[in-house]
Amino acid sequence: MEENMEEGQTQKGGSECCLKCLSGIPYASLIATILLYAGVALFCGCGHEALSGTVTILQTYFDVVRSPADALDVFTMIDIFKYVIYGVAAAFFVYGILLMVEGFFTTGAIRDLYGDFKITTCGRCVSAWFIMLTYIFMLAWLGVTAFSSLPVFMYFSIWNTCQNTTLLESSNVCFDLRQYGIVSISEEKKLCTASENFIKMCESNELDLTFHLFVCALAGAGAAVIAMVHYLMVLSANWAYVKDACRMQKYEDIKSKEEQELHDIHSTRSKERLNAYT
């Protein structure tokens, strides 16, 4: 009987420990972090492969060649964008971890473990700093989303033309890279629907794959924007929580001080009465 009671108490203690751990998880921050990682991974992975596919298309079908090493051409810009993608992936991986730590820092489990004072003194400044930083990152991702829509529009025009080649047999539509700023005005890099290169490009999988990769990269950038908005809501709620906790802590301190003063006054009066009686 005693063994069964001990086992029951052990199971009850284990379930309470699990419930306490689960209650300490910042689910809102966790959802935002998962969305951020998914969006950044989609943008960086698909964007990197789409840029590589763009290089292949330009070299194979548009006959664009690399300039000398010291010249800034479209291929150099693509290489720079790839390095930027590497930096974005690493930076937001770390930033997501920091925001998760901030979420854990302001949960009820940490508050019960360390007390309100340590959370409000440091957590309030941390939450305010992350709110400002996240707002800046949200604006940056909005710019990235707008910028990512440009190659999607360009590739959609070419892809849509390839899908309707039968309707364009009587006409000759040309795509001039100078219109998109890819090459300088002095260079003439055209690809017309009547040319053999255009037909080969439409029949290959490179155009279709690159176009859809850019679409996925655009979707990833949009998911990152949503994650930043989600983070702003979470951080604002955390900031309001620690602000209220700070006020409550000050109220408790004042109340404790007044009670201590009243207790000291009563003790002093009691001693005075006792001395007067004796």
Side-chain angles (χ1 to χ4, degrees), residues 123-160:
R124 189 176 181 182
C125 296
V126 172
S127 297
W129 170 255
F130 276 123
I131 288 174
M132 181 185 68
L133 202 59
T134 303
Y135 183 76
I136 295 173
F137 285 150
M138 184 196 69
L139 295 179
W141 275 109
L142 282 174
V144 170
T145 304
F147 182 77
S148 300
S149 63
L150 297 178
V152 172
F153 172 75
M154 292 164 54
Y155 273 99
F156 176 76
S157 300
I158 300 175
W159 180 80
N160 188 47

Side-chain angles (χ1 to χ4, degrees), residues 65-104:
V65 296
R66 283 184 176 270
S67 300
D70 57 345
L72 183 64
D73 58 355
V74 62
F75 299 109
T76 305
M77 294 298 298
I78 288 176
D79 292 336
I80 292 174
F81 288 146
K82 286 183 178 180
Y83 286 115
V84 170
I85 285 175
Y86 301 148
V88 167
F92 279 92
F93 176 77
V94 176
Y95 190 66
I97 294 176
L98 292 177
L99 289 176
M100 275 297 298
V101 172
E102 193 276 341
F104 276 107

Side-chain angles (χ1 to χ4, degrees), residues 16-49:
E16 290 178 354
C17 182
C18 292
L19 291 175
K20 186 176 181 180
C21 292
L22 291 175
S23 63
I25 297 176
Y27 292 102
S29 297
L30 181 61
I31 294 172
T33 303
I34 293 174
L35 184 60
L36 176 65
Y37 282 168
V40 172
L42 196 63
F43 171 77
C44 294
C46 295
H48 183 275
E49 294 302 316

